């Protein structure tokens, strides 16, 4: 059972640069010391801007308990005295924070075959009404089936909260670019795949939802500590280098 821990923080606008510097210092130290706790940091770029989410994965509750929380990580990396200073500085930057634990729901997901993640993600947050969870799960599941039936390349992974509000679900869709959002939206996808039944599934699912919102987020490579994120950073560096070579070639030819 894959467990996902999510620490969400809303950062004071005037403190965002300090906050990012502190997170980068922690990530740099973890990489240098090869700490066993790995995480990715995601910054909301459209939606609740100013929000950062630090995400890590554990295979079991026992593993989650053994590695500890963020405070224990900082103490392990810097020692109690310096860790105390860093934690106090982080608290001064944060307006509010919230932690949750989710579990992956492969039964209602349509995940990509590729390992790792993407630089951009479309994240949809659902809260089911009391008694509405079966209809919400059916909506998410059927959207995945419809995408596959229609040959749509988009994929997503669904998660259900197990520590936090137990009626919360999250879907994460990796994006190669914002242009992918120009494609058909869930209501149309369901109708195109299932006809009138798809329209009914969408209506029943939406009626079972208490709250739903979508946001865009970007992976912050320099604030993360995980192999797939580091690979993503290397891809970005190669892309930048290729862009620089093309610009130089264009300059020589002009």
């Amino acid at each position: 059972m894959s467990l996902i821990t999510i620490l969400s923080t809303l950062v004071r606008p005037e403190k965002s640069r300090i906050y990012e510097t502190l997170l980068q210092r922690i990530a740099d130290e973890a990489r240098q010391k090869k700490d066993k706790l790995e995480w990715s940091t995601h910054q909301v770029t459209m939606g609740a801007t100013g929000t950062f989410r630090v995400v890590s994965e554990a295979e079991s509750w026992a593993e989650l308990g053994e590695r500890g929380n963020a405070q224990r990580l900082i103490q392990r990396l810097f020692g109690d005295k310096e860790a105390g200073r860093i934690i106090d500085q982080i608290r001064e930057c944060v307006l509010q924070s919230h932690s949750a634990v989710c579990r992956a729901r492969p039964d209602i997901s349509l995940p990509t075959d590729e390992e790792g993640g993407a630089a951009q993600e479309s994240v949809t947050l659902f809260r089911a009404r009391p008694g509405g969870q079966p209809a919400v799960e059916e909506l998410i599941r059927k959207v995945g089936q419809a995408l596959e039936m229609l040959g749509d390349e988009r994929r997503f992974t669904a998660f259900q909260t197990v520590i936090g509000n137990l009626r919360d679900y999250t879907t994460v869709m990796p994006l190669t670019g914002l242009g992918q959002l120009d494609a058909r939206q869930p209501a149309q996808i369901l109708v195109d795949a299932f006809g009138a039944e798809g329209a009914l599934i969408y209506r029943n699912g939406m009626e079972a939802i208490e709250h739903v919102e979508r946001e865009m987020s970007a992976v912050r490579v320099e604030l993360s500590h995980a192999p797939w994120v580091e690979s993503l950073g290397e891809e970005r560096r190669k892309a930048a280098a290729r862009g620089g070579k093309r610009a130089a070639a264009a300059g020589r030819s002009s």
Side-chain angles (χ1 to χ4, degrees):
M1 177 179 64
S2 181
L3 297 172
I4 311 296
T5 67
I6 305 172
L7 176 61
S8 300
T9 56
L10 179 61
V11 177
R12 298 179 186 277
E14 70 277 12
K15 297 281 190 178
S16 61
R17 186 171 299 179
I18 297 172
Y19 181 79
E20 292 182 29
T21 299
L22 291 167
L23 259 59
Q24 183 164 358
R25 184 183 176 192
I26 294 167
D28 289 344
E29 192 74 11
R31 283 190 288 270
Q32 181 179 337
K33 294 184 176 178
K34 295 181 172 55
D35 194 87
K36 60 184 178 182
L37 177 56
E38 298 176 350
W39 72 89
S40 57
T41 299
H42 307 250
Q43 182 178 6
V44 176
T45 56
M46 297 182 188
T49 54
T51 300
F52 291 78
R53 293 197 172 95
V54 178
V55 179
S56 61
E57 185 174 354
E59 289 302 317
S60 66
W61 288 102
E63 180 185 335
L64 195 60
E66 180 182 348
R67 74 186 190 192
N69 57 17
Q71 182 170 322
R72 278 180 55 186
L73 166 70
I74 298 171
Q75 290 171 334
R76 187 163 67 241
L77 293 174
F78 297 97
D80 290 342
K81 187 175 180 179
E82 182 61 17
R85 283 196 288 265
I86 293 172
I87 292 168
D88 286 343
Q89 289 176 305
I90 289 175
R91 286 172 177 164
E92 291 173 1
C93 297
V94 174
L95 280 169
Q96 63 184 44
S97 64
H98 176 265
S99 62
V101 180
C102 305
R103 65 182 178 94
R105 289 291 306 272
D107 56 315
I108 59 173
S109 301
L110 182 63
T112 177
D113 294 332
E114 298 177 5
E115 295 183 0
Q120 296 181 90
E121 300 162 328
S122 173
V123 180
T124 306
L125 311 168
F126 302 85
R127 176 163 293 174
R129 298 183 187 277
Q133 287 172 277
V136 174
E137 292 188 11
E138 180 72 355
L139 173 63
I140 297 171
R141 179 187 298 108
K142 286 296 187 179
V143 168
Q145 292 176 4
L147 287 171
E148 194 166 31
M149 287 174 60
L150 297 171
D152 194 305
E153 65 179 6
R154 290 174 294 176
R155 296 291 184 265
F156 67 86
T157 302
F159 303 90
Q160 181 178 6
T161 299
V162 293
I163 297 294
N165 192 310
L166 300 182
R167 291 184 279 116
D168 283 354
Y169 295 82
T170 304
T171 63
V172 180
M173 178 180 288
L175 298 175
T176 56
L178 290 180
Q180 286 185 289
L181 297 179
D182 290 328
R184 290 171 287 197
Q185 296 304 299
Q188 190 62 50
I189 290 168
L190 288 169
V191 170
D192 289 349
F194 301 113
E197 180 190 356
L200 182 61
I201 291 168
Y202 183 78
R203 183 167 65 250
N204 290 342
M206 293 303 291
E207 288 177 353
I209 293 172
E210 181 178 295
H211 177 78
V212 60
E213 63 180 294
R214 179 189 290 173
E215 62 187 30
M216 299 297 301
S217 66
V219 178
R220 295 294 304 273
V221 175
E222 73 279 18
L223 310 183
S224 306
H225 171 50
W228 75 265
V229 179
E230 292 164 14
S231 298
L232 186 62
E234 183 61 29
E235 290 175 8
R236 286 179 176 175
R237 285 189 288 273
K238 288 179 180 178
R242 288 194 296 270
K245 290 178 181 178
R246 286 194 294 269
R252 287 193 297 268
S253 63
S254 60

